[in-house]
Amino acid sequence: MNDKNNIVAGQRWLSTAEPELGLGIVSKVHQGKINLQFSLSNLTRQYTIIRAPIKRIRFKPGDLLTTQKGESFVVEELKEVNGLFYYKYNNNQLCETELADTIPVNNPIERLETLDFDPEWTFELRYQTLLMREHMHKSGVRGFCGGRIDLIPHQLYIADTVAARYVPRVMLSDQVGLGKTIEALLIIKKLIVTSRAKRILIIVPEYLVLQWFGELYHRFNLTFSVIDEHYCREEERKDPDFDPFDERQLCICSYSVFTTFSRLRALSLEKAWDMVVIDEVHNLHQASEEYDFFKTLTGLTPGLMLLTAIPEFPNLEDFFARLHLIDPVFYDKYERFFWEVDRYKWVAGLAETLRKNKPLQSDHIDFLREKLSANFPEKNIAAGDDSKPDKGTRKKILDYLIDQHGMGRLLFRNNRKTISGFPKRIVHLETLDQGADNTLAERLVTEFEFDVKERETQPDYIFVKDPRISWLLSLLKKEKKILLICASKEKVLALADALKINGFKDFLCFHEDIEFLKRDQQVTLFYQPEGPQLLLSSEIGSEGRNFQFCSNLVLFDVPFDPSLIEQRIGRLDRIGQQNPVNIFIPFIKESPQAVMIQWFYRGLNIFKEFYDGHNQSFSMYSSFVKNMALKGNYNQEELDNIINETKKEYTKIKKKNEKARDILVELNSFDEIKAKEIIDDIHREDNNNDFENNIIDLLEYYGFYLESIDNK
C-alpha cells in the first residue's frame, strides 16, 4: 500500500531532502497538501503530497528507539491502529507521536535488507541532473548564455579568445561604438562562472561607475559593490579604520576615490585580486602619482584588462606606458619597443602578403627560414613564382607572427572597416544669420576662445536670443528625441534657462554636478518613448554612455579635438543602431566657429567619416586654422586654400595608414568563422529544452509546481 494514500495527523515522516530537520509529525492534511511540524528545528513545512520528498517512518522489531522523555527501549512488536504505528516493549505500548524527534533512521544496509528502495524515477532524475551538470561545465559557451545582449560576432570572438586564457592580461581597444564594455562583461562573467576569478576590482571614471554597475547587473545578473566617495565618507565617520574591501569580493571604484581617500590605495594593494579592470585608460597620465599606483596594483594582480577606444595616445611613450602595465617584462624598455615598432612595418607587409595569398619574396622566405628553423615548410614555399603557401601553412606562419611581433596577443582592436552593422551618418550643417543682436559677435568670440583654451575665464553665456536657440526650437518641432552635447555644465544650465524662457520645458539636464544615481535616472527617463524629448548634456555624456536608442545628435559647440568629436558622435553611432544618425551642427555665419567647422567638414570630413588618421592631419594645420578663426574677418579664399591643402594631406595620410595598419592585431581580433561557431553553439544551448525540463522535474520533486502563464 502506498503510504501517501493513507496520511493522518500524528504520523511520523522524514524529509529526504532535509534529513537534518529531524523527524516531522503530520499536523494537517488538506486538499492534497501535508503540513509537517519539525519540533527539533522549530519549523513547519508544507508539501504537495504527490512526489513530495518525504518518507513515512516505520521501525521494526529489534530497533532501539527513544521516547520524548529520553527513555530507550527495544521494539518487540509493531501494530497499526487508525493509520498510526504503536510499538510494544516490556508489556508497554508507545504511539509513534511520542517518539523522540532525533531518532536515527535506518542506514543503507538496513534499508537494503528491508527492500526499502527509492522509486526508480528518482534515480533517473538524479542521473539526468548529473549529466546536465557535466554538459554545462564542459560547454565552450558557458558564461556567454543567458546574458541580455545581442550576439555580435566580433564581441563574442574577443570574449571567447580572452576568457580561454587562464590569466588574461589584455587591452581591449575596439573603435568607438563597437562594444568594448560588453566584451569586458562577457569575459568577467566567464571567469566568474568557471571559478577562475573570485575577487575582481573594476576602476572607471567617476561618471561611469553606476553605468558599469547597471550593465553588470541587468545584462549578466552580477552584483558588484560600489565603493564611492559618499560611501567612504559615511564609513570613515563611523570607523576611521574601515576597510571596504575586507568582505567584498566584487568591487567598482572610481579613479577619484583613490585620490580622495589615500588609505584605499594601501588597502587595495593588500588584497589578492584575481582581476583588475581599468576603463578609459587613455585618461591615465604617465607622469602622475595615479599611474604609479596603478603600476604597483597591476603588478600584484594576475589578471588585467585595460579598456580604451584611443590606443594611439598623444605620443608613443604613452602607448608604451599602457603596454608596460600589461606586460612589464616584455615591454621593459622604451628604446627596444621603439625599435620593434619600426621593424614591425616590414613584418606587417609580410603578414599582408600571406593574408592575401600572394607569392612570398626571397627576403620574406629568408626571414621565415631563420625564425622557424626546423619548422620551416620548405616544400610548401617558393619565392617569386606561383608557388604559394597552402592555407594551413599560412595559418601557422601568421600565428607565429602574431605571437612574436607587434602587439602580439595583448591588444584587441576591431575597426569600422572590418566590422559591419553601423548606421549611415547624415550631417546637417546649419548656417545661421547673426540677427539684430549687436553683442552676439563678441560673445561668440569669447565663447570660442574659452572652448579652444585661449581664455582662462569662462564667459557668461546668454542664449535667450541666440539664433541657435531659435533654430533648436524649430528642430524640436520636427524630431522626436534629440541628444544635445556641449562643452560644459555652465552651457547646459544657460541653455536650460533659455529654453524655459522661450516656453520649452520638455527636457532634462545631464552634467557632472548631478549625483550619479540621478544621472542614470535622467538617462532612463530620456530612453522612455513617452519621456522628455531633449537631453542637454555636458562633455561627460560623450564618454562611455550608450544613447543608441536616439538617432538625432546636436553639436551645440564643436570641440577643437577630433577624438572628442568622434566620442560625441559615438554615443549614437554604435553597432546595433537601427536608424541613420543625424548630426546637426548649428553655427553663426562668419563667426570663429564657422571657420573651424568648415575646416573640419570640408578638409577632414570629420563628422561624416570615422578614421584614425584625423589626428595626424589635424595637428599639421590646427594652429593655423585656430589663429585664422581668432583674428576675425578672415579671407574665404585663404580658408578655402587651407581646406584644400588639409584635404590632400589627409588623403595621403589615410592611404599611408591603410598600408601600415596593424594587420596582425586585426587578425588577432576577429575570426568570422570562429565567431559563427560560437554563436551557433549559443543558439544550440538556447534551443535545448533538456535543461528547462530537468529543472522543472527537480522542482516538482521538491514540492514546487510550475504553471505557465504564457502559451507562446
Side-chain angles (χ1 to χ4, degrees):
M1 182 178 68
N2 190 335
D3 290 327
K4 292 185 179 180
N5 293 332
N6 185 31
I7 301 177
V8 298
Q11 290 179 346
R12 287 291 193 169
W13 289 72
L14 176 74
S15 170
T16 57
E18 299 175 286
E20 66 275 7
L21 297 180
L23 292 184
I25 187 168
V26 177
S27 59
K28 183 179 180 181
V29 182
H30 181 65
Q31 294 183 347
K33 295 183 180 180
I34 176 177
N35 283 14
L36 288 184
Q37 182 177 344
F38 297 94
S39 300
L40 180 65
S41 307
N42 195 27
L43 292 173
T44 299
R45 292 275 196 266
Q46 184 179 77
Y47 301 93
T48 301
I49 294 176
I50 301 175
R51 298 180 72 176
I54 55 176
K55 176 187 174 184
R56 179 83 160 95
I57 296 301
R58 178 190 294 106
F59 296 102
K60 64 182 185 301
D63 287 339
L64 179 65
L65 305 182
T66 305
T67 69
Q68 289 186 355
K69 295 180 180 179
E71 300 173 353
S72 298
F73 66 93
V74 176
V75 177
E76 297 176 354
E77 185 180 346
L78 166 68
K79 71 175 182 178
E80 183 177 357
V81 179
N82 297 327
L84 296 178
F85 292 139
Y86 288 82
Y87 298 99
K88 290 186 177 182
Y89 66 97
N90 297 333
N91 297 321
N92 294 318
Q93 181 172 279
L94 184 79
C95 181
E96 63 179 297
T97 58
E98 300 177 66
L99 290 174
D101 300 311
T102 56
I103 294 176
V105 297
N106 297 341
N107 60 43
I109 299 299
E110 292 174 332
R111 291 186 60 191
L112 184 62
E113 290 175 348
T114 59
L115 302 180
D116 183 13
F117 303 135
D118 287 333
E120 181 181 351
W121 65 266
T122 61
F123 173 82
E124 181 65 22
L125 177 60
R126 185 182 303 111
Y127 175 66
Q128 292 300 327
T129 301
L130 291 173
L131 288 179
M132 185 61 60
R133 186 176 68 172
E134 179 193 30
H135 172 77
M136 291 175 62
H137 284 186
K138 290 170 61 177
S139 173
V141 293
R142 184 183 179 199
F144 297 158
C145 298
R148 295 183 178 89
I149 60 170
D150 294 325
L151 301 182
I152 298 176
H154 76 274
Q155 294 176 353
L156 288 162
Y157 174 78
I158 288 178
D160 181 73
T161 303
V162 174
R165 304 174 187 179
Y166 188 75
V167 183
R169 291 183 72 90
V170 296
M171 182 187 295
L172 306 183
S173 188
D174 282 353
Q175 287 181 343
V176 174
L178 270 75
K180 294 177 297 300
T181 304
I182 296 298
E183 293 165 6
L185 297 183
L186 283 164
I187 294 165
I188 290 170
K189 178 69 173 182
K190 179 92 171 186
L191 294 177
I192 289 176
V193 300
T194 55
S195 299
R196 285 179 289 150
K198 295 181 179 179
R199 290 184 62 87
I200 299 177
L201 175 63
I202 299 175
I203 305 171
V204 301
E206 191 174 23
Y207 53 83
L208 292 180
V209 168
L210 286 185
Q211 181 176 332
W212 268 82
F213 174 84
E215 294 279 287
L216 285 159
Y217 181 74
H218 292 297
R219 292 187 183 276
F220 293 98
N221 197 31
L222 294 174
T223 303
F224 275 64
S225 298
V226 174
I227 312 297
D228 59 11
E229 294 184 25
H230 174 74
Y231 166 79
C232 289
R233 287 194 186 94
E234 288 297 312
E235 292 300 311
E236 194 173 50
R237 183 176 58 81
K238 300 174 187 175
D239 178 11
D241 297 323
F242 83 105
D243 183 351
F245 304 124
D246 193 31
E247 298 179 356
R248 294 168 175 81
Q249 305 289 313
L250 306 174
C251 300
I252 303 177
C253 299
S254 68
Y255 284 89
S256 60
V257 78
F258 287 108
T259 303
T260 306
F261 298 90
S262 57
R263 279 189 66 252
L264 291 187
R265 293 200 294 269
L267 291 172
S268 66
L269 296 176
E270 294 173 0
K271 308 306 175 186
W273 302 106
D274 299 313
M275 168 68 71
V276 168
V277 182
I278 307 176
D279 194 10
E280 304 291 348
V281 73
H282 53 270
N283 293 326
L284 188 60
H285 301 295
Q286 180 182 0
S288 66
E289 184 179 340
E290 196 175 43
Y291 178 84
D292 293 337
F293 162 65
F294 285 125
K295 182 178 177 180
T296 304
L297 176 64
T298 56
L300 297 171
T301 307
L304 174 64
M305 280 195 290
L306 305 181
L307 279 68
T308 176
I310 312 173
E312 298 82 2
F313 297 98
N315 53 60
L316 201 57
E317 288 91 339
D318 284 334
F319 187 27
F320 170 77
R322 274 63 178 185
L323 295 174
H324 179 74
L325 293 179
I326 300 174
D327 191 343
V329 175
F330 187 81
Y331 295 101
D332 58 339
K333 295 182 180 179
Y334 173 72
E335 293 75 17
R336 188 167 72 89
F337 171 69
F338 183 82
W339 178 80
E340 286 282 351
V341 169
D342 187 60
R343 187 181 70 154
Y344 170 74
K345 297 175 183 177
W346 185 88
V347 177
L350 168 58
E352 183 70 356
T353 299
L354 287 164
R355 190 173 72 90
K356 292 185 176 180
N357 196 22
K358 293 181 178 180
L360 297 176
Q361 301 304 311
S362 57
D363 56 343
H364 292 154
I365 293 178
D366 291 341
F367 173 81
L368 293 173
R369 184 180 288 114
E370 175 189 353
K371 296 299 181 182
L372 298 178
S373 187
N375 295 320
F376 180 68
E378 193 82 45
K379 295 181 180 180
N380 296 342
I381 300 179
D385 59 20
D386 292 334
S387 179
K388 305 169 187 175
D390 58 44
K391 185 176 181 181
T393 302
R394 293 200 311 274
K395 177 72 166 57
K396 290 180 181 178
I397 296 175
L398 286 171
D399 283 344
Y400 163 78
L401 294 177
I402 293 172
D403 284 333
Q404 300 296 325
H405 299 277
M407 302 305 105
R409 305 291 187 182
L410 298 186
L411 179 65
F412 290 84
R413 180 165 176 79
N414 287 297
N415 58 66
R416 293 171 180 241
K417 288 185 174 293
T418 58
I419 303 298
S420 59
F422 286 92
K424 179 182 179 182
R425 293 183 182 183
I426 303 174
V427 181
H428 306 268
L429 293 186
E430 306 290 346
T431 308
L432 308 174
D433 292 326
Q434 179 174 327
D437 188 347
N438 296 326
T439 64
L440 179 60
E442 182 179 350
R443 293 204 309 274
L444 289 172
V445 171
T446 56
E447 179 184 340
F448 182 78
E449 288 174 343
F450 184 77
D451 287 345
V452 299
K453 297 180 173 53
E454 292 292 328
R455 177 189 179 98
E456 294 184 2
T457 306
Q458 186 159 218
D460 294 327
Y461 298 114
I462 304 173
F463 294 132
V464 177
K465 296 182 180 180
D466 193 302
R468 289 172 291 181
I469 292 295
S470 301
W471 167 84
L472 178 60
L473 290 169
S474 65
L475 179 67
L476 288 164
K477 295 178 181 178
K478 304 173 186 176
E479 303 294 343
K480 293 182 179 179
K481 291 278 184 182
I482 298 174
L483 171 65
L484 183 150
I485 301 181
C486 58
S488 65
K489 172 200 70 176
E490 288 73 17
K491 276 191 181 181
V492 168
L493 297 177
L495 285 169
D497 289 340
L499 289 171
K500 289 178 183 176
I501 292 173
N502 280 277
F504 184 82
K505 298 181 180 179
D506 191 20
F507 66 87
L508 292 170
C509 294
F510 186 91
H511 55 75
E512 48 271 36
D513 281 359
I514 297 176
E515 62 180 18
F516 298 138
L517 186 57
K518 183 69 173 178
R519 288 185 215 166
D520 276 18
Q521 291 173 345
Q522 301 287 66
V523 174
T524 301
L525 287 172
F526 182 51
Y527 171 77
Q528 302 299 326
E530 67 279 3
Q533 185 182 359
L534 173 67
L535 182 68
L536 303 174
S537 174
S538 66
E539 205 67 79
I540 66 165
S542 64
E543 285 194 341
R545 286 283 173 180
N546 183 344
F547 289 104
Q548 72 180 52
F549 55 85
C550 175
S551 59
N552 298 305
L553 173 66
V554 173
L555 301 181
F556 190 81
D557 53 29
V558 176
F560 203 57
D561 179 348
S563 299
L564 192 49
I565 293 173
E566 188 57 47
Q567 288 278 65
R568 285 189 181 186
I569 298 173
R571 299 313 96 212
L572 279 66
D573 181 8
R574 309 178 68 82
I575 195 164
Q577 169 67 262
Q578 300 298 314
N579 303 304
V581 174
N582 291 293
I583 304 169
F584 298 94
I585 308 169
F587 61 94
I588 309 301
K589 189 187 302 182
E590 298 182 353
S591 66
Q593 290 85 350
V595 175
M596 180 179 65
I597 290 169
Q598 287 185 68
W599 179 57
F600 276 153
Y601 181 69
R602 293 166 53 200
L604 293 171
N605 198 22
I606 205 167
F607 305 112
K608 195 170 185 178
E609 181 179 272
F610 184 102
Y611 198 81
D612 292 336
H614 284 138
N615 281 328
Q616 295 165 281
S617 306
F618 172 83
S619 61
M620 295 178 67
Y621 299 99
S622 58
S623 296
F624 188 88
V625 172
K626 182 165 68 172
N627 292 333
M628 181 184 293
L630 288 170
K631 74 180 182 181
N633 297 320
Y634 64 91
N635 183 289
Q636 184 64 46
E637 183 178 351
E638 185 181 12
L639 177 59
D640 290 340
N641 289 336
I642 196 67
I643 287 174
N644 291 331
E645 286 184 33
T646 303
K647 188 174 182 179
K648 290 177 183 178
E649 192 62 36
Y650 172 58
T651 302
K652 290 179 184 178
I653 291 174
K654 191 163 68 168
K655 290 180 179 179
K656 180 181 177 181
N657 286 353
E658 178 64 25
K659 291 181 180 179
R661 77 184 195 273
D662 204 327
I663 301 299
L664 296 181
V665 168
E666 288 184 14
L667 292 172
N668 184 45
S669 300
F670 185 49
D671 183 330
E672 187 174 1
I673 296 175
K674 177 63 176 175
K676 184 178 184 304
E677 292 174 357
I678 297 169
I679 292 175
D680 288 344
D681 287 344
I682 293 174
H683 283 311
R684 195 174 297 112
E685 293 293 339
D686 286 343
N687 295 328
N688 184 358
N689 294 325
D690 292 345
F691 176 76
E692 181 180 351
N693 293 335
N694 182 256
I695 291 297
I696 291 174
D697 289 343
L698 283 171
L699 290 172
E700 290 183 353
Y701 174 77
Y702 285 105
F704 297 92
Y705 285 86
L706 282 75
E707 181 179 347
S708 176
I709 59 174
D710 188 351
N711 294 324
K712 296 181 181 179

